[in-house]
């Protein structure tokens, strides 16, 4: 029989503390997965009656996007994101689920690493709080939840659930629509990192030209990381209805400081039913 040194057996150098720690880790992952699956099932159950009710329209979308920047650090990051969206929009409320696939490349001192995989799934629900009246004013709110489906060991997510609440004020003028938005995201902190919760804001203007909508906005938010500049971005985008069943959209943004991405763009296609 080997002699035990610091809790290890010479013939079997495995500590009981390691076994307990490993099992706690796997139990935590299993619990997290069960929570995610339960929430996804509940979302689909909630979505099914709305699709059958017929008071609004459902859609299935596919999108592709790209972001690049160093975020004020020595590391240059390039992120390619491909998402599929399932949603429903009615005159008074909307529901959506976004499933992303990420391809991330980080380069530091001419050395690069690449990771890819499914990202964090986002569930969102919105409600018209004040319908638009004769004065052109309306108010809408929404809640969102980010599910920890991404692999945090590859830097594709935090491994924790985030919660968000958002408010949008809209004012229709003769030919334009002004909007002001604000929100708060409660960031889930893993055991090894303490992230900042995010406060965000933005304002912009949009205009409809037949089947096409154009918009531009200025958006800012608090950085997740301490001692990092808060991101500020300028956005331009469009939405175009191809037919009663199909639509396309696109956007581009420019980072105005080192807190966020330098540049980003996206394009998407939706099938309505």
């Amino acid at each position: 029989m080997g002699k035990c040194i610091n809790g290890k057996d010479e013939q079997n150098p495995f500590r009981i503390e390691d076994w307990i720690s490993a099992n706690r880790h796997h139990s935590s992952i299993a619990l997290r997965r069960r929570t995610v699956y339960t929430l996804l099932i509940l979302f689909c159950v909630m979505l099914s009656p709305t699709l059958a009710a017929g008071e609004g329209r459902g859609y299935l979308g596919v999108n592709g996007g790209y972001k690049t920047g160093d975020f004020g650090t020595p590391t240059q990051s390039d992120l390619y994101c491909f998402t599929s969206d399932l949603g429903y929009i009615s005159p008074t409320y909307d529901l959506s689920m976004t499933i992303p696939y990420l391809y991330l490349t980080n380069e530091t001192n001419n050395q690069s690493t690449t990771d890819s995989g499914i990202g964090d799934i986002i569930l969102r629900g919105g409600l018209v709080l004040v319908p638009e009246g004769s004065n052109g004013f309306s108010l809408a709110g929404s809640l969102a939840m980010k599910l920890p489906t991404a692999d945090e060991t590859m830097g594709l997510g935090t491994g924790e659930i985030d919660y968000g609440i958002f408010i949008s004020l809209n004012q229709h003028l003769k030919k334009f629509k002004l909007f002001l938005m604000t929100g708060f995201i409660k960031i889930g902190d893993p055991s090894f990192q303490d992230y900042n919760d995010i406060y965000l804001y933005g304002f912009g203007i949009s205009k409809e030209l037949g089947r096409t909508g154009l918009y531009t906005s200025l958006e800012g938010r608090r950085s997740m990381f301490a001692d990092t500049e808060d991101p500020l971005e300028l956005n331009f985008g469009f939405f175009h209805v191809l037919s009663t069943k199909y639509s396309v959209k696109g956007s581009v943004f420019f980072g105005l400081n080192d807190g966020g991405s330098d540049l980003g763009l996206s394009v998407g296609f939706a099938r309505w039913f």
Side-chain angles (χ1 to χ4, degrees), residues 89-94 124-133 137-143 166-168 170 177:
I89 297 178
S90 80
T92 55
Y93 69 93
D94 64 275
R124 179 190 173 279
L127 182 67
V128 176
L129 302 175
V130 179
E132 184 175 323
F137 175 80
S138 63
L139 177 67
S142 62
L143 299 174
F166 311 93
I167 296 292
S168 175
N170 308 280
K177 182 178 181 180

Side-chain angles (χ1 to χ4, degrees), residues 92 94 124-132 136-143 164-172 177-184 200-206 215-219:
T92 55
D94 64 275
R124 179 190 173 279
L127 182 67
V128 176
L129 302 175
V130 179
E132 184 175 323
F137 175 80
S138 63
L139 177 67
S142 62
L143 299 174
I165 181 171
F166 311 93
I167 296 292
S168 175
L169 294 85
N170 308 280
Q171 180 64 54
H172 245 125
K177 182 178 181 180
L178 303 177
F179 54 92
L180 175 67
M181 50 193 171
T182 185
F184 172 76
L200 56 141
Y201 62 91
F203 59 90
I205 185 171
S206 65
Y215 72 86
T216 182
S217 65
L218 180 68
E219 301 178 15

Side-chain angles (χ1 to χ4, degrees), residues 6 15 29 90 93 218 261:
N6 294 328
R15 294 191 307 166
I29 293 177
S90 80
Y93 69 93
L218 180 68
S261 302

